[in-house]
């Protein structure tokens, strides 16, 4: 998510991979600051009171009530998308389904027009290609292209009375500490709700589908839970299953921090002030010290240690929203009238670092 270049510090980055180290750093923002970019990222790269102020604003857009109000809308979107998928012919759960759903859901939530979907999907492709390339100029160009899309939406929401009830318009008229938000702040907030998370959601869909279709018992259970009427117990079980799938193969791999003072790392090594630190959520989520065999599927035991959505003051505010999105998607795919299965032996293509999860998950409805 923090795609911008870090300030130059002269020291090599330190990667924290154990569960204990990652949790300790995430909960110690005074030492492990999030001010890792020279660009504005609201609230991601903020610290202290400034972070708390903007974070409260962000949280107010993702309350449990708002998320449950969106659920029927998103369920219809997921069901409609599943009905449009081919039967008897393979499709890719990441690109033909996950990405499409992510874009449609986001447009519906923010009040963005359906005509934008094609442009957002193209942007997602360029973003993935830029991240794979690791070329800073390419990443900067892709980030600028996204800002352009968001800016157009903010302008439209601020001037077109028809859009005055949309989430984008509501955000554009917010006050923070008695003043209006600057356009750059509005764009940044919306960018952090969308740019990184469109891809995260598509990746999570791929991971959940791959994990469930790889395990016969799990496949039967998820199909059963998806086909029957939703109740609180079944929903909770499904949510835990989904969280456990993405713990095992976490597509949201890292977050960045920078040290504000010298600190002693694991094994007694000295980490100087100003060192870039990588919190490796994916590695921590597979730490054998905490999870034993990291591939053992145990949703209930592992839930309290799961770091897919981070921890500490920057813990993902979109957790409820993503969990609901993944739940409606899982129900739509596994609860349809068709048998849902993987294709041949080559059905999975691993994503290339620095990205995680699967680039392609080839599946079939029969
Ligand atoms: C799809 C699955 C998602 C995953 C796996 C995920 C994961 C994460 C993680 C690990 C963090 C912590 C970053 C840190 O500590 O530096 C985070 C932060 C954040 N996420 Fe998510 N996220 C997801 C979806 C979303 C969605 C749907 C939204 C908004 C609509 C969202 C908005 C944010 C924001 C704004 C932050 C920064 C919070 C802060 O700095 O206080 N995320 N996310």
């Amino acid at each position: 998510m923090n795609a911008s270049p870090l300030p130059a510090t002269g020291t090599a980055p330190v990667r924290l991979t154990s569960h204990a180290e990652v949790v300790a750093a995430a909960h110690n923002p005074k030492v492990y600051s999030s001010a890792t970019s020279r660009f504005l990222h609201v609230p991601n790269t903020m610290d202290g009171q400034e972070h708390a102020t903007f974070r409260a604003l962000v949280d107010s857009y993702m309350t449990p009530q708002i998320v449950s109000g969106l659920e029927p809308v998103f369920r219809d979107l997921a069901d409609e998308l599943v009905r449009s998928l081919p039967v008897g012919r393979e499709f890719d759960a990441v690109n033909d389904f996950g990405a499409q759903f992510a874009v449609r859901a986001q447009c519906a939530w923010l009040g963005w027009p359906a005509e934008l979907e094609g442009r957002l999907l193209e942007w997602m492709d360029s973003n993935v290609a830029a991240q794979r390339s690791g070329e800073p100029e390419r990443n900067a160009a892709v980030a600028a292209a996204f800002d352009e899309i968001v800016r157009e939406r903010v302008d439209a929401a601020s001037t077109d009375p028809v859009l005055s009830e949309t989430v984008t318009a509501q955000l554009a008229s917010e006050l923070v500490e008695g003043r209006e938000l600057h356009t750059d702040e509005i764009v940044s907030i919306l960018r952090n709700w969308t740019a990184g998370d469109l891809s995260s959601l598509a990746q999570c869909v791929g991971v959940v589908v791959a994990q469930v279709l790889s395990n016969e018992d799990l496949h039967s259970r998820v199909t059963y839970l998806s086909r029957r009427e939703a109740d609180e117990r079944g929903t909770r079980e499904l949510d835990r299953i989904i969280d456990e799938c993405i713990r095992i193969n976490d597509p949201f791999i890292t977050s960045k921090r920078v040290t504000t003072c010298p600190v002693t790392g694991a094994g007694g090594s000295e980490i100087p002030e100003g060192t870039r630190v990588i919190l490796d959520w994916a590695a921590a989520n597979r730490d054998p010290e905490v999870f034993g065999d990291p591939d053992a599927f145990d949703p209930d035991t592992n839930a309290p240690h799961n770091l897919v959505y981070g921890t500490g003051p920057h813990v993902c505010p979109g957790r409820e929203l993503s969990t609901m999105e993944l739940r409606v998607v899982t129900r739509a795919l596994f609860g349809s009238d068709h048998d849902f299965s993987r294709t041949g032996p080559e059905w999975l293509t691993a994503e290339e670092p620095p990205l995680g999860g699967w680039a392609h998950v080839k599946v079939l409805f029969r």
Side-chain angles (χ1 to χ4, degrees):
M1 244 213 253
N2 295 342
S4 314
L6 294 160
T9 59
T11 43
V14 170
R15 197 175 189 98
L16 306 183
T17 55
S18 82
H19 193 277
E21 279 180 308
V22 170
V23 170
H27 282 270
N28 192 355
K30 285 209 169 116
V31 172
Y32 295 92
S33 159
S34 289
T36 56
S37 172
R38 28 193 187 94
F39 301 114
L40 182 70
H41 291 276
V42 183
N44 306 43
T45 56
M46 293 173 160
D47 288 323
Q49 189 49 49
E50 186 186 32
H51 173 259
T53 303
F54 279 92
R55 179 58 199 248
L57 173 69
V58 167
D59 285 342
S60 73
Y61 280 80
M62 298 178 204
T63 61
Q65 291 82 341
I66 290 176
V67 172
S68 46
L70 285 169
E71 186 162 356
V73 180
F74 285 12
R75 193 165 49 223
D76 288 350
L77 284 179
D79 289 341
E80 191 187 309
L81 203 51
V82 163
R83 281 196 296 275
S84 74
L85 290 168
V87 177
R89 191 158 44 86
E90 75 168 35
F91 63 92
D92 179 356
V94 180
N95 298 295
D96 299 329
F97 182 78
Q100 311 274 340
F101 173 80
V103 161
R104 282 189 198 184
Q106 212 137 70
C107 287
W109 174 41
L110 298 174
W112 293 4
E115 302 84 72
L116 201 62
E117 286 169 16
R119 199 166 151 205
L120 286 170
L121 286 165
E122 270 172 33
W123 178 84
M124 280 169 83
D125 282 346
S126 328
N127 186 37
V128 166
Q131 287 189 47
R132 282 185 194 135
S133 79
E135 293 165 24
E137 309 77 42
R138 225 169 137 182
N139 277 299
V142 165
F146 197 82
D147 270 19
E148 187 58 36
I149 298 178
V150 178
R151 247 168 237 282
E152 285 170 21
R153 295 330 318 151
V154 174
D155 283 351
S158 312
T159 51
D160 186 344
V162 175
L163 302 175
S164 63
E165 300 292 308
T166 60
V167 167
T168 304
Q170 228 177 300
L171 182 68
S173 63
E174 287 286 356
L175 297 180
V176 162
E177 291 179 335
R179 66 159 175 90
E180 289 179 355
L181 288 173
H182 307 305
T183 306
D184 281 353
E185 290 168 339
I186 302 165
V187 170
S188 176
I189 292 173
L190 284 167
R191 190 199 314 114
N192 288 324
W193 290 358
T194 49
D197 301 303
L198 286 173
S199 309
S200 297
L201 197 77
Q203 295 297 329
C204 287
V205 171
V207 166
V208 171
V209 169
Q211 190 74 31
V212 175
L213 290 181
S214 302
N215 176 331
E216 241 174 73
D217 291 343
L218 185 59
H219 188 179
S220 312
R221 186 72 191 155
V222 169
T223 304
Y224 168 76
L225 289 169
S226 303
R227 286 192 175 159
R228 69 179 203 156
E229 197 61 41
D231 63 11
E232 214 182 302
R233 216 162 139 209
T235 297
R236 190 178 138 89
E237 184 180 346
L238 200 53
D239 288 356
R240 285 220 162 164
I241 288 174
I242 292 167
D243 274 0
E244 178 69 341
C245 290
I246 43 183
R247 175 195 69 78
I248 289 175
N249 187 2
D250 185 352
F252 191 108
I253 303 206
T254 58
S255 293
K256 292 169 185 164
R257 299 290 190 267
V258 59
T259 52
T260 58
C261 57
V263 54
T264 308
S269 57
E270 184 81 359
I271 305 176
E273 177 183 341
T275 302
R276 291 169 290 165
V277 176
I278 314 285
L279 308 188
D280 190 332
W281 307 112
N285 264 325
R286 297 181 55 80
D287 183 347
E289 288 285 325
V290 175
F291 300 103
D293 171 2
D295 289 312
F297 198 84
D298 191 350
D300 289 332
T301 310
N302 292 334
H305 312 294
N306 190 318
L307 294 176
V308 165
Y309 293 99
T311 185
H314 291 269
V315 67
C316 181
R319 178 176 190 154
E320 294 245 7
L321 187 65
S322 308
T323 303
M324 180 272 277
E325 292 184 276
L326 292 170
R327 185 194 318 132
V328 298
V329 155
T330 304
R331 278 193 193 283
L333 285 171
F334 289 89
S336 88
D337 296 335
H338 302 290
D339 269 350
F340 186 40
S341 61
R342 49 195 184 181
T343 55
E346 311 279 296
W347 69 299
L348 293 176
T349 311
E351 191 41 278
E352 291 169 31
L355 298 168
W358 304 104
H360 304 289
V361 177
K362 295 290 173 66
V363 288
L364 187 69
F365 276 134
R366 263 189 273 257

Coordinates of all heavy atoms in Angstrom, one line a residue, residues 1-2 26 34 41-46 51 55 58-59 62 106 109 189 192-194 196-202 204 246 250-252 254-257 279 281 307-319 321-323 325-326, ligand 1:
M1 N 0.8 -1.2 0.0 CA 0.0 0.0 0.0 C 0.8 1.3 0.0 O 0.5 2.2 -0.7 CB -0.8 0.0 1.2 CG -2.3 -0.1 0.9 SD -3.3 0.8 2.0 CE -4.0 -0.5 2.8
N2 N 1.9 1.3 0.8 CA 2.8 2.4 0.8 C 3.7 2.4 -0.4 O 4.9 2.0 -0.3 CB 3.7 2.5 2.1 CG 2.8 2.7 3.3 OD1 1.7 3.1 3.2 ND2 3.4 2.3 4.4
A26 N 4.7 -3.0 15.3 CA 3.4 -2.3 14.9 C 2.7 -1.6 16.0 O 2.0 -0.7 15.8 CB 2.5 -3.4 14.3
S34 N 5.4 5.7 10.9 CA 4.8 5.4 9.6 C 5.2 6.5 8.6 O 4.7 6.4 7.5 CB 3.3 5.2 9.7 OG 3.0 4.0 10.4
H41 N 0.0 10.5 2.3 CA -0.9 9.3 2.4 C -1.7 9.4 3.6 O -1.2 9.1 4.7 CB 0.0 8.0 2.4 CG 0.7 7.7 1.2 ND1 0.2 7.1 0.1 CD2 2.0 8.0 0.8 CE1 1.1 7.0 -0.8 NE2 2.2 7.5 -0.4
V42 N -3.0 9.7 3.5 CA -3.9 9.9 4.6 C -4.7 8.7 4.8 O -5.4 8.3 3.9 CB -4.8 11.1 4.4 CG1 -5.6 11.4 5.6 CG2 -4.0 12.4 4.0
P43 N -4.6 8.0 6.0 CA -3.8 8.3 7.2 C -2.5 7.5 7.3 O -1.9 7.5 8.3 CB -4.8 7.9 8.3 CG -5.4 6.6 7.8 CD -5.5 6.9 6.3
N44 N -2.2 6.7 6.2 CA -1.2 5.6 6.3 C 0.1 6.1 6.8 O 0.8 5.4 7.6 CB -1.1 4.9 4.9 CG -2.4 4.4 4.4 OD1 -3.4 5.1 4.5 ND2 -2.4 3.2 3.9
T45 N 0.6 7.3 6.3 CA 2.0 7.6 6.7 C 2.0 8.7 7.8 O 3.0 9.4 8.0 CB 2.7 8.2 5.5 OG1 2.0 9.2 4.9 CG2 2.9 7.1 4.4
M46 N 0.9 8.8 8.5 CA 0.8 9.8 9.6 C 1.1 9.1 10.9 O 0.9 7.9 11.1 CB -0.6 10.4 9.7 CG -0.9 11.2 8.5 SD -2.6 11.7 8.5 CE -2.6 13.2 7.4
H51 N -2.4 11.3 13.1 CA -3.0 10.0 12.6 C -4.3 9.8 13.2 O -5.3 9.4 12.6 CB -2.0 8.9 12.9 CG -2.6 7.5 12.5 ND1 -3.1 6.7 13.5 CD2 -2.8 6.9 11.4 CE1 -3.6 5.6 12.9 NE2 -3.4 5.7 11.6
R55 N -7.6 9.2 11.3 CA -8.1 7.8 11.4 C -9.5 7.7 11.8 O -10.3 6.9 11.4 CB -7.1 7.1 12.3 CG -7.4 5.6 12.5 CD -7.5 4.8 11.2 NE -8.2 3.6 11.5 CZ -7.6 2.4 11.5 NH1 -6.4 2.2 11.2 NH2 -8.3 1.3 11.7
V58 N -11.7 8.4 8.9 CA -11.8 7.2 8.0 C -12.7 6.1 8.6 O -13.5 5.5 8.0 CB -10.3 6.6 7.8 CG1 -10.3 5.2 7.2 CG2 -9.5 7.6 6.9
D59 N -12.5 5.9 9.9 CA -13.3 4.8 10.6 C -14.8 5.1 10.5 O -15.6 4.2 10.4 CB -12.9 4.7 12.1 CG -11.5 4.0 12.3 OD1 -11.1 3.3 11.3 OD2 -10.9 4.1 13.3
M62 N -16.6 3.4 7.8 CA -16.6 1.9 7.7 C -17.1 1.3 9.0 O -16.6 0.2 9.4 CB -15.1 1.5 7.4 CG -14.6 2.0 6.1 SD -13.0 1.6 5.8 CE -12.5 2.9 4.7
Q106 N -16.6 -1.3 -5.4 CA -16.0 0.0 -5.0 C -16.8 1.2 -5.7 O -17.1 2.2 -5.0 CB -14.6 0.1 -5.4 CG -13.8 0.9 -4.4 CD -12.5 0.3 -4.1 OE1 -11.6 0.3 -4.9 NE2 -12.3 -0.2 -2.9
W109 N -20.1 1.6 -3.9 CA -19.9 2.2 -2.5 C -19.7 3.7 -2.6 O -20.3 4.5 -1.9 CB -18.8 1.4 -1.8 CG -18.4 2.0 -0.5 CD1 -19.3 2.5 0.5 CD2 -17.1 2.2 0.1 NE1 -18.6 3.0 1.6 CE2 -17.2 2.8 1.3 CE3 -15.8 2.0 -0.4 CZ2 -16.1 3.1 2.1 CZ3 -14.7 2.3 0.4 CH2 -14.9 2.9 1.6
I189 N -7.1 10.2 0.8 CA -8.0 9.2 1.5 C -8.6 8.2 0.6 O -8.6 7.0 0.8 CB -9.1 10.0 2.3 CG1 -8.4 10.8 3.4 CG2 -10.1 9.0 2.9 CD1 -9.4 11.7 4.2
N192 N -6.3 5.7 -0.8 CA -5.9 4.6 0.1 C -7.1 3.6 0.3 O -6.9 2.5 0.8 CB -5.4 5.2 1.4 CG -4.0 5.7 1.3 OD1 -3.2 5.2 0.5 ND2 -3.8 6.9 1.9
W193 N -8.3 4.0 0.0 CA -9.4 3.1 0.1 C -9.5 2.3 -1.2 O -10.3 1.3 -1.2 CB -10.8 3.9 0.2 CG -11.0 4.6 1.5 CD1 -10.1 4.6 2.6 CD2 -12.1 5.4 1.9 NE1 -10.6 5.3 3.6 CE2 -11.8 5.9 3.2 CE3 -13.2 5.8 1.2 CZ2 -12.7 6.7 3.9 CZ3 -14.1 6.7 1.9 CH2 -13.8 7.1 3.2
T194 N -8.9 2.8 -2.2 CA -9.2 2.1 -3.5 C -7.9 1.5 -4.1 O -7.8 0.3 -4.3 CB -9.8 3.1 -4.5 OG1 -9.0 4.3 -4.5 CG2 -11.2 3.5 -4.1
G196 N -4.7 0.5 -3.6 CA -4.1 -0.8 -3.1 C -5.2 -1.8 -2.9 O -4.9 -3.0 -3.1
D197 N -6.3 -1.4 -2.5 CA -7.3 -2.4 -2.0 C -8.1 -3.1 -3.1 O -8.6 -4.2 -2.9 CB -8.2 -1.8 -0.9 CG -7.2 -1.3 0.2 OD1 -6.5 -2.1 0.7 OD2 -7.2 -0.1 0.4
L198 N -8.2 -2.5 -4.3 CA -8.8 -3.2 -5.4 C -8.0 -4.5 -5.6 O -8.5 -5.6 -5.8 CB -8.7 -2.3 -6.6 CG -9.7 -1.2 -6.7 CD1 -9.4 -0.3 -7.9 CD2 -11.1 -1.7 -6.7
S199 N -6.6 -4.3 -5.7 CA -5.8 -5.5 -6.0 C -5.8 -6.4 -4.8 O -5.8 -7.6 -5.0 CB -4.3 -5.0 -6.2 OG -4.3 -4.0 -7.2
S200 N -5.7 -5.9 -3.5 CA -5.7 -6.8 -2.4 C -6.9 -7.7 -2.4 O -6.9 -8.9 -2.1 CB -5.8 -6.0 -1.1 OG -4.6 -5.2 -0.9
L201 N -8.1 -7.1 -2.7 CA -9.3 -7.9 -2.7 C -9.3 -8.9 -3.8 O -9.7 -10.1 -3.5 CB -10.5 -6.9 -2.8 CG -11.8 -7.6 -2.4 CD1 -11.9 -7.7 -0.9 CD2 -13.0 -7.0 -3.0
A202 N -8.9 -8.5 -5.0 CA -8.9 -9.5 -6.1 C -7.9 -10.7 -5.7 O -8.2 -11.9 -5.9 CB -8.4 -8.9 -7.4
C204 N -7.1 -11.6 -2.6 CA -7.7 -12.4 -1.5 C -8.7 -13.4 -2.1 O -8.8 -14.5 -1.7 CB -8.4 -11.5 -0.5 SG -7.2 -10.6 0.5
I246 N -6.5 -16.7 4.1 CA -5.5 -15.6 3.7 C -4.4 -15.5 4.7 O -3.4 -14.9 4.4 CB -6.2 -14.3 3.4 CG1 -7.3 -13.9 4.4 CG2 -6.8 -14.2 2.0 CD1 -8.1 -12.6 4.1
D250 N -0.9 -15.1 2.6 CA -1.3 -13.7 2.7 C -0.8 -12.8 1.5 O 0.4 -12.6 1.3 CB -0.6 -13.1 4.0 CG -1.0 -11.7 4.4 OD1 -1.7 -11.1 3.6 OD2 -0.7 -11.3 5.5
P251 N -1.7 -12.3 0.8 CA -1.3 -11.5 -0.4 C -0.9 -10.1 -0.1 O -0.3 -9.4 -0.9 CB -2.5 -11.5 -1.3 CG -3.7 -11.8 -0.4 CD -3.2 -12.4 0.8
F252 N -1.2 -9.6 1.1 CA -0.8 -8.2 1.5 C 0.5 -8.4 2.3 O 0.5 -8.6 3.5 CB -1.9 -7.6 2.4 CG -1.8 -6.2 2.7 CD1 -2.6 -5.2 2.0 CD2 -0.8 -5.7 3.5 CE1 -2.4 -3.9 2.3 CE2 -0.6 -4.4 3.8 CZ -1.4 -3.4 3.2
T254 N 3.6 -6.8 2.9 CA 4.4 -5.9 3.8 C 3.8 -4.5 4.1 O 3.0 -4.1 3.3 CB 5.9 -5.7 3.2 OG1 5.7 -5.1 2.0 CG2 6.7 -7.0 3.2
S255 N 4.3 -3.9 5.1 CA 4.1 -2.5 5.4 C 5.4 -1.9 5.8 O 6.3 -2.6 6.2 CB 3.1 -2.3 6.5 OG 1.8 -2.7 6.1
K256 N 5.5 -0.6 5.6 CA 6.8 0.1 5.9 C 6.8 0.9 7.2 O 5.8 1.5 7.5 CB 7.2 1.0 4.7 CG 7.5 0.2 3.5 CD 7.6 1.2 2.3 CE 7.8 0.4 1.0 NZ 7.5 1.2 -0.2
R257 N 8.0 1.0 7.8 CA 8.1 1.9 8.9 C 9.5 2.5 8.8 O 10.4 2.0 8.1 CB 8.0 1.1 10.3 CG 6.7 0.5 10.5 CD 5.6 1.5 10.8 NE 4.3 0.8 11.3 CZ 3.4 0.4 10.5 NH1 3.4 0.6 9.2 NH2 2.3 -0.1 11.0
L279 N 7.7 -4.5 7.8 CA 6.9 -5.4 8.6 C 6.4 -6.5 7.6 O 5.6 -6.2 6.8 CB 5.8 -4.7 9.3 CG 6.0 -3.5 10.1 CD1 4.7 -3.1 10.8 CD2 7.1 -3.7 11.1
W281 N 4.1 -9.1 7.1 CA 2.9 -9.7 7.6 C 2.8 -11.2 7.1 O 2.4 -12.0 7.9 CB 1.7 -9.0 7.2 CG 1.6 -7.5 7.4 CD1 1.6 -6.5 6.5 CD2 1.5 -6.8 8.7 NE1 1.5 -5.3 7.1 CE2 1.4 -5.5 8.4 CE3 1.4 -7.3 10.0 CZ2 1.3 -4.5 9.4 CZ3 1.3 -6.3 11.0 CH2 1.3 -5.0 10.7
L307 N -2.6 -12.0 11.4 CA -2.1 -10.6 11.2 C -2.5 -10.1 9.8 O -1.9 -9.1 9.3 CB -0.6 -10.5 11.4 CG -0.1 -10.7 12.8 CD1 1.4 -10.7 12.9 CD2 -0.7 -9.7 13.8
V308 N -3.4 -10.8 9.1 CA -3.7 -10.4 7.7 C -4.1 -8.9 7.6 O -3.7 -8.2 6.7 CB -4.8 -11.3 7.1 CG1 -5.4 -10.7 5.9 CG2 -4.3 -12.7 6.9
Y309 N -4.8 -8.4 8.6 CA -5.2 -7.0 8.5 C -4.4 -6.1 9.4 O -4.8 -5.0 9.8 CB -6.7 -6.9 8.9 CG -7.6 -7.5 7.9 CD1 -8.1 -8.8 8.1 CD2 -7.9 -6.9 6.7 CE1 -8.9 -9.4 7.1 CE2 -8.7 -7.4 5.7 CZ -9.2 -8.7 5.9 OH -10.0 -9.3 5.0
G310 N -3.2 -6.6 9.8 CA -2.3 -5.8 10.6 C -2.7 -5.8 12.1 O -3.6 -6.5 12.5
T311 N -2.1 -4.9 12.8 CA -2.4 -4.8 14.3 C -1.8 -3.4 14.7 O -1.0 -2.8 14.0 CB -1.7 -5.9 15.1 OG1 -2.1 -5.8 16.4 CG2 -0.2 -6.0 15.0
G312 N -2.2 -2.9 15.9 CA -1.7 -1.6 16.3 C -2.6 -0.5 15.8 O -3.6 -0.7 15.2
P313 N -2.1 0.7 15.9 CA -2.9 1.9 15.6 C -3.2 2.0 14.1 O -4.2 2.6 13.7 CB -2.0 3.1 16.0 CG -0.7 2.6 16.3 CD -0.8 1.1 16.6
H314 N -2.4 1.3 13.2 CA -2.7 1.4 11.8 C -3.4 0.2 11.3 O -3.5 0.0 10.1 CB -1.4 1.6 11.0 CG -0.7 2.9 11.2 ND1 -1.0 4.0 10.4 CD2 0.1 3.3 12.2 CE1 -0.3 5.0 10.8 NE2 0.4 4.7 11.9
V315 N -4.0 -0.6 12.2 CA -4.7 -1.9 11.8 C -5.7 -1.5 10.8 O -6.3 -0.4 10.8 CB -5.4 -2.5 13.1 CG1 -6.4 -1.6 13.6 CG2 -5.9 -3.9 12.7
C316 N -6.0 -2.4 9.8 CA -6.8 -2.0 8.6 C -8.2 -1.6 9.0 O -9.0 -2.3 9.6 CB -6.9 -3.2 7.7 SG -7.9 -2.9 6.2
P317 N -8.6 -0.4 8.6 CA -10.0 0.1 8.9 C -11.0 -0.6 8.0 O -12.2 -0.6 8.3 CB -9.9 1.6 8.7 CG -8.8 1.8 7.7 CD -7.8 0.7 8.0
G318 N -10.5 -1.2 6.9 CA -11.4 -1.8 5.9 C -11.6 -3.3 6.2 O -12.2 -4.0 5.4
R319 N -11.2 -3.7 7.4 CA -11.3 -5.2 7.7 C -12.8 -5.7 7.6 O -13.0 -6.7 6.9 CB -10.8 -5.5 9.1 CG -10.9 -6.9 9.4 CD -10.3 -7.3 10.7 NE -10.3 -8.8 10.8 CZ -9.5 -9.5 11.5 NH1 -8.6 -9.0 12.2 NH2 -9.6 -10.8 11.5
L321 N -15.3 -4.4 6.1 CA -15.8 -4.2 4.7 C -15.2 -5.4 3.8 O -16.0 -6.1 3.1 CB -15.3 -2.9 4.1 CG -15.8 -2.5 2.8 CD1 -17.3 -2.3 2.8 CD2 -15.1 -1.2 2.3
S322 N -13.9 -5.6 3.9 CA -13.3 -6.7 3.1 C -13.8 -8.1 3.5 O -14.1 -8.9 2.6 CB -11.8 -6.8 3.3 OG -11.2 -5.6 3.2
T323 N -14.0 -8.3 4.8 CA -14.5 -9.6 5.3 C -15.9 -9.8 4.7 O -16.2 -10.9 4.2 CB -14.6 -9.6 6.8 OG1 -13.2 -9.3 7.3 CG2 -15.0 -11.0 7.3
E325 N -17.1 -8.4 2.0 CA -16.9 -8.6 0.5 C -16.5 -10.0 0.2 O -17.1 -10.7 -0.7 CB -15.9 -7.6 -0.1 CG -16.5 -6.2 0.0 CD -15.5 -5.2 -0.7 OE1 -14.5 -4.8 0.0 OE2 -15.7 -4.9 -1.8
L326 N -15.5 -10.5 0.9 CA -15.0 -11.9 0.7 C -16.1 -12.9 1.0 O -16.2 -14.0 0.4 CB -13.8 -12.1 1.5 CG -12.6 -11.3 1.0 CD1 -11.4 -11.4 2.0 CD2 -12.1 -11.8 -0.4
Ligands
LIG1 C1 -8.7 -6.8 0.9 C2 -8.1 -7.1 1.9 C3 -7.3 -6.1 2.7 C4 -6.1 -6.5 3.4 C5 -5.5 -7.8 3.4 C6 -5.7 -5.3 4.1 C7 -4.6 -5.2 4.9 C8 -4.1 -4.1 5.6 C9 -3.0 -4.1 6.5 C10 -2.1 -5.3 6.8 C11 -2.9 -2.8 7.0 C12 -1.9 -2.3 8.0 C13 -0.9 -1.4 7.4 C14 0.1 -0.9 8.4 O1 0.2 -1.2 9.6 O2 1.0 -0.1 8.0 C15 -4.0 -2.0 6.3 C16 -4.1 -0.7 6.5 C17 -5.1 0.1 5.9 N1 -6.1 -0.4 5.1 FE1 -6.4 -2.4 4.5 N2 -6.5 -4.2 3.8 C18 -7.5 -4.7 3.0 C19 -8.6 -4.0 2.5 C20 -8.9 -2.7 2.8 C21 -10.0 -2.0 2.3 C22 -11.2 -2.6 1.6 C23 -9.9 -0.7 2.7 C24 -10.7 0.5 2.5 C25 -11.8 0.6 1.8 C26 -8.6 -0.6 3.4 C27 -8.0 0.6 3.9 C28 -6.9 0.6 4.6 C29 -6.3 1.9 5.1 C30 -6.8 3.3 4.9 C31 -5.2 1.5 5.9 C32 -4.2 2.5 6.7 C33 -4.8 2.6 8.1 C34 -3.9 3.5 8.9 O3 -2.8 3.9 8.5 O4 -4.4 3.9 10.0 N3 -8.0 -1.8 3.4 N4 -4.7 -2.8 5.5

